[in-house]
Amino acid sequence: MVDWEGPLSEAYERAMTYLEGLPERRVGPRATAKELHEALGGPLPTGPTDPREVVEHLAKGVDDGLLPSGSGRFFGFVFGGATPASLAADWLTTVWDQNAGLYAASPAAAVVEDITARWLVELFGLPPTTSVGFVTGAQMANFTALAAARHEVLRRAGWDVEQDGLIGAPPIRVLAGAERHDTIDRALRFLGLGTNSIVPIAVDDQGRMRADALAGALDADPGRTTGRSGINRPTIVCAQAGNVNTGAFDPIAEICEIAHAQQAWVHVDGAFGLWAAVSPGLRQLVDGIDRADSWATDAHKWLNVPYDSGIVLCAHPEPHRAAMSIRAAYLIQDENGERDSLDYNPEFSRRARGIPVYAAIRALGRDGIAEIVDRCHAMANRFAQNLRANNMEVLNDVVLNQVLVRFGDDAITRRVVTEVQNEGTCWMSGTTWQGKAAMRISVSNWTTGPEDIDRSAAAVRKVFDQLSIS
């Protein structure tokens, strides 16, 4: 008989100890890399070890090296936590161990993801025929969407990139804000377009793309049309819903109108900002979002689904499938046309990561998701107000969940960030914004409340005061 109970019971007990201790746990790692190597390393095992002992050893060994990103006082990198329903569903996803690449390999996973896809499209207010893929994160969501865009803009120019590759293809120009996220650049490298294809568009003081600058760049392109067909030069415009530093939103409605007049594809990187669409009070930030051609977002941010969980959405299913799908004699495509996920994401074999997303949406509902977004927005404003009241400089307009703080000069600001991380009450990262060092506070966790904000702000003030005195 296989002993499932031993290792799973050990894992459950360790998990509960960790989760129940999060509210008071030091928000930061407690061990060095050397100490972790010593606790976990050693020679390659030559024989078997009892599975329960393995789980116990692993849990003890990693504990001091964990960054408690599920804490309500973790404000780094726009990480979310994990809601109980999504965490439990993620455990079951592992237990069921389904290969969700094909309907034939897991009808249950395919149907759950199909239902979840429709829910997501409705939540974001996108066209009902929008296609959806479940990927690892916004990096692969941006990659997949831009692969669909690459297919379509080249198809319009008479080129089949999936068959003929890029050698000899009409050059594609990518217009993106100067404050775009680096995943756009990285996706273009993966796609063979290269970062030199990017024409950076000027932004305002909050990092929003200027629509007039976009229009000027499109109009100024001497290769805008091909002499042979009169078709506009293959062009992709990348807009942003939620600047990675300030949280600011590009004017998406204007961008879509300008870009579509030039037959350009509009992609929106909405890694966290797209979730503003779920909030009645914040929906205006994404006005015109439904007019774009593709979107990228994360479920492991504001939906608070365990890592990893990204989402790509495309208003045009045909180029989405054309860029991603594959056929082979040994694969089984359902004769009734049921959803095969490999038609919508780059992976072949893949985890059924849509199941935790399903659980999160069913547990929270539209109102629950909106409440998380609204509360995080309120908590970000509370943090900013608290710091301003204590003579600390907030650099951005807090429109969503991002707060940028500066403490005098670059050197002091960087020291404050480091010392706050070392102190352990809360954790936030540093950044550089418009040439200035800043502390970057991202409020994205479903458990964060006023006490977490006030306690964290007090810790920041204490560190700053101590450094100012010294």
Side-chain angles (χ1 to χ4, degrees):
M1 295 292 292
V2 176
D3 177 21
W4 296 109
E5 183 176 357
L8 290 176
S9 296
E10 184 71 28
Y12 174 77
E13 292 166 10
R14 297 282 175 179
M16 291 304 299
T17 298
Y18 178 77
L19 292 169
E20 290 174 348
L22 269 179
E24 294 305 320
R25 185 182 176 113
R26 182 185 187 278
V27 187
R30 301 177 294 201
T32 65
K34 182 176 183 293
E35 291 168 335
L36 291 170
H37 276 289
E38 290 172 350
L40 294 161
L44 172 69
T46 56
T49 303
D50 178 79
R52 183 162 193 159
E53 291 181 19
V54 171
V55 174
E56 179 185 18
H57 173 79
L58 175 64
K60 287 181 177 179
V62 305
D63 190 59
D64 284 345
L66 296 173
L67 185 61
S69 54
S71 168
R73 297 189 309 283
F74 184 87
F75 305 109
F77 305 121
V78 204
F79 286 1
T83 60
S86 65
L87 177 58
D90 196 60
W91 282 11
L92 285 174
T93 300
T94 300
V95 170
W96 294 330
D97 194 24
Q98 301 290 281
N99 185 332
L102 291 169
Y103 174 85
S106 181
V111 170
V112 166
E113 292 193 351
D114 193 30
I115 293 166
T116 307
R118 303 278 64 80
W119 286 352
L120 288 164
V121 169
E122 185 177 348
L123 278 169
F124 296 137
L126 303 180
T129 56
T130 295
S131 54
V132 180
F134 295 89
V135 294
T136 54
Q139 174 67 79
M140 294 313 295
N142 282 323
F143 166 84
T144 304
L146 291 173
R150 181 186 66 173
H151 166 89
E152 181 60 15
V153 297
L154 287 177
R155 184 197 66 78
R156 295 172 189 169
W159 189 270
D160 187 335
V161 68
E162 281 72 39
Q163 292 290 325
D164 300 325
L166 287 170
I167 297 174
I172 296 175
R173 194 171 67 143
V174 181
L175 289 82
E179 287 290 339
R180 66 191 176 277
H181 194 272
D182 291 338
T183 53
I184 297 296
D185 298 54
R186 196 165 182 236
L188 294 172
R189 285 165 44 202
F190 293 167
L191 289 164
L193 299 180
T195 54
N196 282 344
S197 67
I198 299 173
V199 178
I201 304 301
V203 298
D204 67 12
D205 63 349
Q206 294 297 304
R208 291 178 288 251
M209 184 194 295
R210 285 175 38 200
D212 62 327
L214 173 65
L218 285 167
D219 288 340
D221 179 16
R224 186 166 69 249
T225 60
T226 65
R228 160 170 71 82
S229 64
I231 296 173
N232 282 18
R233 175 177 174 174
T235 301
I236 301 168
V237 175
C238 294
Q240 189 169 222
N243 180 281
V244 70
N245 282 305
T246 67
F249 287 70
D250 289 349
I252 296 169
E254 291 180 75
I255 288 170
C256 288
E257 182 176 358
I258 293 166
H260 287 160
Q262 300 283 2
Q263 300 176 37
W265 177 291
V266 178
H267 170 64
V268 177
D269 176 10
F272 61 94
L274 195 60
W275 293 96
V278 186
S279 164
L282 297 170
R283 173 78 194 184
Q284 76 280 358
L285 293 171
V286 294
D287 280 349
I289 199 82
D290 57 315
R291 298 172 59 186
D293 298 290
S294 60
W295 309 264
T297 193
D298 280 322
H300 56 228
K301 288 187 168 66
W302 253 342
L303 193 57
N304 282 253
V305 167
Y307 277 89
D308 49 33
S309 188
I311 301 161
V312 57
L313 307 103
C314 188
H316 313 288
E318 294 80 8
H320 191 175
R321 287 193 297 267
M324 292 293 118
S325 65
I326 187 69
R327 294 292 181 267
Y330 72 95
L331 296 178
I332 303 172
Q333 269 74 44
D334 185 74
E335 62 183 15
N336 296 316
E338 294 293 344
R339 185 181 192 275
D340 291 324
S341 75
L342 60 73
D343 287 339
Y344 303 101
N345 61 264
E347 297 165 313
F348 215 122
S349 297
R350 58 177 288 275
R351 175 181 177 81
R353 63 175 59 90
I355 291 176
V357 182
Y358 172 94
I361 296 173
R362 181 166 284 282
L364 292 166
R366 182 194 295 273
D367 292 345
I369 299 169
E371 191 279 330
I372 292 174
V373 173
D374 288 339
R375 176 158 41 86
C376 287
H377 175 227
M379 293 303 101
N381 274 294
R382 185 185 185 103
F383 216 141
Q385 291 164 7
N386 193 315
L387 297 179
R388 280 197 197 100
N390 286 274
N391 301 315
M392 293 171 225
E393 183 184 9
V394 176
L395 300 176
N396 67 310
D397 300 331
V398 183
V399 297
L400 198 59
N401 66 323
Q402 301 291 99
V403 185
L404 291 179
V405 190
R406 185 168 167 84
F407 306 89
D409 60 26
D410 285 358
I412 293 177
T413 297
R414 294 189 179 106
R415 285 189 64 193
V416 171
V417 171
T418 299
E419 291 304 316
V420 168
Q421 291 174 350
N422 291 338
E423 192 271 343
T425 296
C426 54
W427 200 99
M428 52 277 283
S429 54
T431 190
T432 300
W433 168 244
Q434 296 181 345
K436 298 178 180 179
M439 172 183 280
R440 177 172 171 257
I441 299 170
S442 304
V443 188
S444 310
N445 190 288
W446 71 283
T447 67
T448 299
E451 300 85 357
D452 295 305
I453 299 300
D454 296 346
R455 184 174 167 185
S456 299
V460 173
R461 290 198 308 271
K462 182 178 178 181
V463 167
F464 179 54
D465 290 344
Q466 290 173 340
L467 289 175
S468 298
I469 293 171
S470 64

